[in-house]
Amino acid sequence: RILTWCIMWGFGGLLEPDMRKVLWSKFQEILEESKHKDAIPPCEEGQTIFEWVPDWTDKARPWKKWEPDEWKAPKVLNFSALLIPTMDSVRAEYILDIIAKHDVTRTPPAFKSCMLVGAPGTAKTSTALMYISKFSQDTMLSKRLNLSSATQPLGFQKSIEGEIERKTGKTFCPPGGKKMTVFIDDAAMPLVNKWGDQIPNELAR
């Protein structure tokens, strides 16, 4: 079940819903021919494996349906700032959390970086903000940077440096010995120069 789930998300995670159904239909045929029907979740009509996830709390890893938690309205309603979880946001947050729990290593390079991609209006920013809102302020800080066509490398650098402090020598870190997650919004907005580069994004490499 775990292998099936990982393969499908690895190859189908970036596909549109229609193409996910085509991919899952073909892979389901392969599983049935290989006599691995236990790896197939109990999908209802119109569903695919992308609506299901192995239950990590059970050693048998049974399938459980992916559903957003019940949303509770805040005491003060600000409609422009409401963040309501959906199936897509729950799945994206889950993958974000897996990446965030990886160990930071330099060889091979792994710095818990993650990019949310999609067409305009697909709730990428809302999903990231919902994930950030769950941080414990005692251990994790967050910084949101909104890039635009007017963003310059120096302004980008100063925005980061304004949130950190010198520790020793050339070592800088967030204040209070805490960790920090930097959320770069609209990373595709900086101007592209004649060499095809977006200079502000070079600092994020």
Side-chain angles (χ1 to χ4, degrees):
R1 293 189 183 103
I2 295 175
L3 180 60
T4 300
W5 188 80
C6 292
I7 290 174
M8 291 306 299
W9 271 103
F11 288 98
L14 293 177
L15 299 179
E16 295 295 331
D18 291 342
M19 292 306 298
R20 284 182 178 182
K21 290 181 180 179
V22 174
L23 177 63
W24 171 238
S25 178
K26 181 61 179 177
F27 198 75
Q28 192 172 0
E29 292 178 7
I30 296 173
L31 291 174
E32 290 175 350
E33 292 176 2
S34 304
K35 299 180 180 180
H36 291 297
K37 293 185 178 181
D38 289 344
I40 301 175
C43 297
E44 300 174 3
E45 185 176 356
Q47 289 185 345
T48 64
I49 193 174
F50 296 97
E51 279 78 40
W52 297 81
V53 62
D55 187 353
W56 309 109
T57 61
D58 191 329
K59 290 184 178 180
R61 301 292 189 263
W63 291 107
K64 69 174 182 178
K65 194 173 181 181
W66 234 338
E67 293 180 336
D69 295 333
E70 182 180 357
W71 181 74
K72 296 181 180 179
K75 294 180 179 179
V76 180
L77 282 176
N78 183 359
F79 287 99
S80 62
L82 285 180
L83 298 173
I84 301 175
T86 63
M87 176 70 83
D88 284 333
S89 70
V90 168
R91 290 185 289 201
E93 283 186 60
Y94 186 81
I95 302 298
L96 279 172
D97 194 51
I98 291 176
I99 296 173
K101 289 179 179 176
H102 284 176
D103 293 331
V104 175
T105 59
R106 293 187 177 276
T107 308
F111 301 101
K112 303 185 179 184
S113 302
C114 181
M115 177 177 284
L116 294 176
V117 298
T122 51
K124 299 183 294 296
T125 298
S126 298
T127 299
L129 292 178
M130 278 191 282
Y131 180 72
I132 290 174
S133 67
K134 298 176 182 178
F135 289 165
S136 171
Q137 297 299 315
D138 296 331
T139 57
M140 178 68 75
L141 302 177
S142 62
K143 172 66 177 178
R144 178 181 177 181
L145 297 175
N146 290 86
L147 303 191
S148 69
S149 58
T151 302
Q152 296 295 320
L154 182 59
F156 186 111
Q157 181 176 336
K158 286 184 175 180
S159 296
I160 297 293
E161 291 179 346
E163 301 295 327
I164 58 179
E165 59 186 14
R166 182 188 295 272
K167 191 174 182 181
T168 55
K170 296 181 180 181
T171 302
F172 293 82
C173 65
K178 301 178 182 179
K179 296 182 179 180
M180 176 180 287
T181 295
V182 179
F183 169 40
I184 302 175
D185 199 9
D186 292 327
M189 290 298 291
L191 291 176
V192 179
N193 62 20
K194 63 181 180 180
W195 296 283
D197 300 322
Q198 290 175 296
I199 304 302
N201 285 338
E202 295 297 320
L203 295 175
R205 286 185 180 273

